[in-house]
Amino acid sequence: MPNAKARRHPEQGERTIWDVFEEERASFIPYAGRFDGYHCIPASVSKTCTVRFDNNKYSVLSSAVGRPVEIHAYADRIVIRQDRAVVGEHARSFGRNEVVYDPWHYVPVLARKPDGLRNGAPFREWVLPSTMEKVRRKLGAADDGDRQMVSILTCVLTDGLSAVESACQEALEHGVCSAAVILNILARSRDPAPGTILSIPQALPLAHEPVADCARYDSLRRTNGNAPRFWN
């Protein structure tokens, strides 16, 4: 900057470089951010929740099946959008006939087919966060372990991964490992904080507070000549 203010402009010798810069500043185009350069093509989503691009397949959210999407191919990643919302994003693969999965895309499908957690292709090499992986191993011995784990994984879609991890950790610390316990912990974490205690005006408290006295009830049971009998 000091040099620009001292040096003369090469074409307008009577002015400095800084003077010309200040004059032209109002005509500059504002910086709009990093250039978003990608190759865009339309695509259809298969029944296996994948789209094909450049000899490879990439998974998308199961909710995207049945409607067209746009594939935005960057130099290093693939982004799939549907109605302007991102339904899939992966590192770009430059091999051939490869299938790139994101297991979270298939979690809603597991609600109908929990056995897929053990045998499905998207989950074969899936490594969960440490606490959730411990819960998964412990539930593996239960007859309905897969179904319980699916219930826990489904909560990630609504509560977030960190909340489910914390719930799993709390359950493990108490030595109890079941979907019912973890879902209960999550439900309690969703409850709002207790409201503030209202101050009651002095005019509202009861002058004679009720007293628990079973003898009063017994007196009502006593019958006399004028009282109706409701039991023998």
Side-chain angles (χ1 to χ4, degrees):
M1 185 182 297
N3 292 335
K5 291 182 177 180
R7 295 181 60 182
R8 294 291 175 179
H9 193 274
E11 297 179 359
Q12 304 178 31
E14 72 283 359
R15 307 174 64 189
T16 64
I17 295 176
W18 182 258
D19 293 335
V20 177
F21 171 77
E22 286 292 306
E23 181 181 329
E24 295 178 350
R25 186 195 292 272
S27 302
F28 291 170
I29 298 175
Y31 175 64
R34 184 179 177 182
F35 176 67
D36 191 22
Y38 56 84
H39 175 52
C40 179
I41 61 171
S44 58
V45 182
S46 70
K47 293 182 179 180
T48 57
C49 308
T50 58
V51 296
R52 177 178 288 276
F53 175 77
D54 196 19
N55 299 312
N56 296 306
K57 293 181 180 180
Y58 300 88
S59 70
V60 299
L61 292 172
S62 59
S63 59
V65 174
R67 293 190 294 141
V69 296
E70 284 187 350
I71 299 176
H72 295 183
Y74 294 83
D76 59 345
R77 69 189 191 279
I78 299 295
V79 179
I80 303 104
R81 293 178 177 270
Q82 187 178 74
D83 300 331
R84 299 184 179 180
V86 175
V87 294
E89 184 170 355
H90 305 271
R92 184 168 179 175
S93 174
F94 293 94
R96 294 181 64 86
N97 299 321
E98 295 181 353
V99 183
V100 183
Y101 290 114
D102 182 347
W104 292 109
H105 291 162
Y106 295 87
V107 169
V109 180
L110 290 174
R112 301 190 302 271
K113 299 180 179 179
D115 292 343
L117 183 61
R118 192 183 303 269
N119 305 315
F123 309 104
R124 287 173 185 166
E125 299 180 0
W126 192 17
V127 179
L128 291 167
S130 59
T131 55
M132 297 177 67
E133 189 64 34
K134 290 178 183 178
V135 170
R136 181 180 182 179
R137 290 198 298 268
K138 288 180 177 294
L139 291 177
D143 293 337
D144 61 342
D146 289 340
R147 187 174 296 279
Q148 289 192 58
M149 193 63 204
V150 169
S151 299
I152 296 170
L153 293 173
T154 302
C155 291
V156 174
L157 305 179
T158 54
D159 294 83
L161 183 60
S162 60
V164 176
E165 281 188 88
S166 299
C168 290
Q169 181 63 37
E170 184 175 341
L172 291 171
E173 290 174 354
H174 287 84
V176 182
C177 186
S178 72
V181 171
I182 294 172
L183 295 183
N184 181 268
I185 295 172
L186 285 170
R188 286 191 284 108
S189 67
R190 296 188 210 109
D191 290 340
T196 57
I197 300 176
L198 299 177
S199 58
I200 302 175
Q202 292 295 327
L204 293 182
L206 295 173
H208 302 284
E209 295 187 4
V211 178
D213 185 0
C214 295
R216 298 176 62 189
Y217 175 74
D218 291 336
S219 66
L220 295 175
R221 294 181 56 199
R222 297 193 186 98
T223 60
N224 52 45
N226 298 324
R229 298 177 63 89
F230 294 101
W231 54 78
N232 296 324

